[in-house]
Amino acid sequence: MTQKNLLTGPTLRFDGNPMTRGWQDAVRIDSDGAVLLADGVIAAVGTANQLRKAHPQAVETHYGDDHLICPGFVDAHVHYPQTGIIASWGKRLIDWLNDYTFPEEMRLSDTAYAQEVATRYLDLTRAHGTTTVASYCTIHPHSVDALFSAAATRNQRIVAGKTCMDRNAPEGLRDTAQSAYDDSKALIERWHGTGRASYAITPRFSPTSTPDQLAALGALWGENPDCLMQTHLSEQTDEVAWVRDLFPQARDYLDTYEAHGLLGARAVFGHAIYLEPREIDRIAETGAALVHCPTSNTFIGSGLFDMAALATRNIPIGLATDTGGGSSFSMLRTMAAAYEIGQLRGTPLHAAQLIWLATAGSAITLHLGDKIGSLSTGNEADVTVLDLSSTPAIAQRQAQAKDAWESLFATIMMGDDRAIADVWIAGARQP
Ligand code: GUN
Ligand code: ZN
């Protein structure tokens, strides 16, 4: 029999969505909580005393009062191939893509380099407490194999897809409508539902796909409806104007996807800053999800996502680093940036909402809410334990905290990988 692990200490629990109801009713911290990990899943949740008594054979790891046992962080929109060019200076989206991103993505034509970056990326994100990502790869199918294989080695749940581009990208970084369809189809057959992997059909964004390619990927999605479809939507005003020129028949940016079969409940759109009322209505009607990428939106100079307005439309919203347009691998830093953008909009998010977005919220946008993102019995045993006094600066603030939320908020605003005390993936404590 495999070892059962009992984690005891302050535990984060969810009873609902804190974006659409009062956070006090949806999120709580059990100060004397416990989570039992067995056979890769969360076998029980309760108080420390209850679970100690019920499972005397379990090996206990106790986390003290200045810790918080959380679900593993879920980063709902990343580009692992951009790991090596994170924090590149001074460009906005289109120039940033051409000058920094495409040259680096070209380097992943080398399989060994793709494998090296995939491993480095998963090392870095795990060190920051992230246990699942939804990643774009490059146009090279082996870049998808590299990430799925690296994740499988660690037993990590992962979402990924081959980025498809057949125009407005350099020679060497373009596929065709047909090869995008064929390669994506073969990757779906190889990886979708294999272990903890799931596939996302991934047109990069409308400017880099011809209508033929969008239609081919729409058809592929129709044939594989339980795959996700991830892409970018309305990130910068120049980009929105470019899409208008490229697709004169389209009613708006969203319509360039919708007209080609690329809108539905399993669609996940990154950024979504400059949405028209019709687009918001259609997203809400279809059940598609949006992903807020706050460090990216400030770093590349995109704009301020309107979390408060979109959340009240019941649109599922996740949180993401958008590495390497985003300037950090850390979901703590990403929560801090989401807080700051909320402040600029006059709608600050509470710590309970921020941590929910980084876990359950992101998991729900990826249609994985019944597997990851919350410490619920039956979910997979991905757990991140925070040290809430990880640096002298945080510790001195935490010492004055009036309650657990104030204490968590200091770590959200000032924490980094030093605040990650432990990461458990599929029930196994990580090195
Ligand atoms: N739009 C199209 N491609 C990208 C990308 O790689 N990063 C970001 N932030 N936006 C994009
Ligand atoms: Zn992106």
Side-chain angles (χ1 to χ4, degrees):
M1 209 180 67
T2 56
Q3 176 178 305
K4 292 183 181 178
N5 286 293
L6 183 65
L7 317 190
T8 58
T11 307
L12 185 70
R13 301 296 311 281
F14 300 142
D15 300 309
N17 179 343
M19 305 303 295
T20 53
R21 59 197 273 206
W23 66 263
Q24 295 90 338
D25 299 328
V27 187
R28 68 193 145 89
I29 293 174
D30 290 348
S31 56
D32 195 19
V35 185
L36 181 73
L37 316 184
D39 300 321
V41 299
I42 296 174
V45 184
T47 68
N49 279 340
Q50 275 170 351
L51 295 197
R52 261 184 216 125
K53 240 180 243 146
H55 304 277
Q57 76 285 26
V59 176
E60 180 171 347
T61 304
H62 181 67
Y63 297 103
D65 284 348
D66 58 348
H67 287 72
L68 183 61
I69 302 170
C70 303
F73 297 152
V74 180
D75 191 342
H77 176 126
V78 311
H79 300 255
Y80 95 81
Q82 299 169 13
T83 298
I85 55 110
I86 193 169
S88 291
W89 187 84
K91 308 278 181 187
R92 291 169 62 87
L93 179 60
I94 308 304
D95 292 336
W96 175 84
L97 282 172
N98 286 319
D99 294 355
Y100 295 125
T101 307
F102 291 160
E104 180 65 13
E105 292 193 6
M106 201 100 74
R107 292 184 66 198
L108 276 81
S109 63
D110 176 6
T111 303
Y113 186 63
Q115 289 167 339
E116 182 203 322
V117 177
T119 299
R120 194 196 317 157
Y121 173 76
L122 290 181
D123 284 348
L124 286 165
T125 47
R126 182 176 59 185
H128 286 86
T130 298
T131 50
T132 289
V133 301
S135 186
Y136 294 57
C137 301
T138 63
I139 69 145
H140 316 99
H142 64 245
S143 75
V144 186
D145 293 328
L147 186 64
F148 276 134
S149 301
T153 308
R154 298 149 200 248
N155 222 351
Q156 262 185 274
R157 183 158 282 286
I158 186 140
V159 178
K162 176 195 123 73
T163 295
C164 301
M165 299 196 274
D166 67 344
R167 65 167 163 175
N168 294 319
E171 178 70 38
L173 220 49
R174 288 195 303 270
D175 50 17
T176 66
Q178 188 65 47
S179 73
Y181 175 93
D182 292 342
D183 289 344
S184 301
K185 183 173 166 34
L187 287 162
I188 290 169
E189 282 161 11
R190 195 170 322 145
W191 289 111
H192 187 61
T194 301
R196 301 187 74 196
S198 46
Y199 195 85
I201 294 168
T202 308
R204 178 176 219 117
F205 66 156
S206 288
T208 47
S209 289
T210 59
D212 277 355
Q213 180 169 80
L214 294 175
L217 295 174
L220 182 64
W221 197 24
E223 292 152 16
N224 296 275
D226 65 329
C227 287
L228 295 172
M229 191 291 298
Q230 59 179 355
T231 191
H232 297 86
L233 178 67
S234 296
E235 180 177 0
Q236 290 207 346
T237 49
D238 293 355
E239 171 208 10
V240 176
W242 192 21
V243 170
R244 205 175 293 125
D245 289 346
L246 289 169
F247 295 86
Q249 277 95 3
R251 288 171 289 184
D252 44 46
Y253 196 157
L254 185 71
D255 198 30
T256 65
Y257 297 122
E258 185 171 3
H260 297 101
L262 294 169
L263 177 61
R266 286 178 176 267
V268 185
F269 295 104
H271 303 282
I273 299 170
Y274 300 101
L275 297 179
E276 304 286 342
R278 189 204 81 89
E279 295 177 291
I280 297 172
D281 290 346
R282 281 302 286 152
I283 289 164
E285 277 163 26
T286 55
L290 303 179
V291 182
H292 182 23
C293 307
T295 71
S296 172
N297 294 344
T298 52
F299 183 77
I300 324 184
S302 301
L304 308 180
F305 181 78
D306 196 353
M307 175 70 80
L310 294 163
T312 56
R313 298 294 304 271
N314 274 323
I315 295 170
I317 299 173
L319 190 66
T321 60
D322 189 30
T323 301
S327 53
S328 173
F329 297 100
S330 167
M331 289 300 285
L332 290 171
R333 174 75 197 100
T334 303
M335 290 179 236
Y339 174 78
E340 289 162 352
I341 288 177
Q343 281 287 60
L344 289 171
R345 282 202 166 270
T347 50
L349 292 160
H350 190 269
Q353 296 174 310
L354 293 165
I355 195 114
W356 184 88
L357 284 166
T359 53
S362 284
I364 289 166
T365 66
L366 303 176
H367 291 255
L368 295 172
D370 59 342
K371 296 187 171 63
I372 57 171
S374 60
L375 300 178
S376 308
T377 304
N379 267 18
E380 296 165 354
D382 296 345
V383 180
T384 287
V385 184
L386 295 177
D387 173 357
L388 299 178
S389 55
S390 62
T391 68
I394 296 173
Q396 63 84 37
R397 178 62 185 87
Q398 198 246 0
Q400 290 200 23
K402 288 195 287 294
D403 59 25
W405 295 116
E406 250 191 59
S407 176
L408 172 61
F409 188 60
T411 284
I412 286 175
M413 293 311 298
M414 297 194 286
D416 54 29
D417 52 339
R418 291 168 291 180
I420 309 303
D422 260 329
V423 176
W424 298 77
I425 293 179
R429 193 182 199 155
Q430 300 296 299

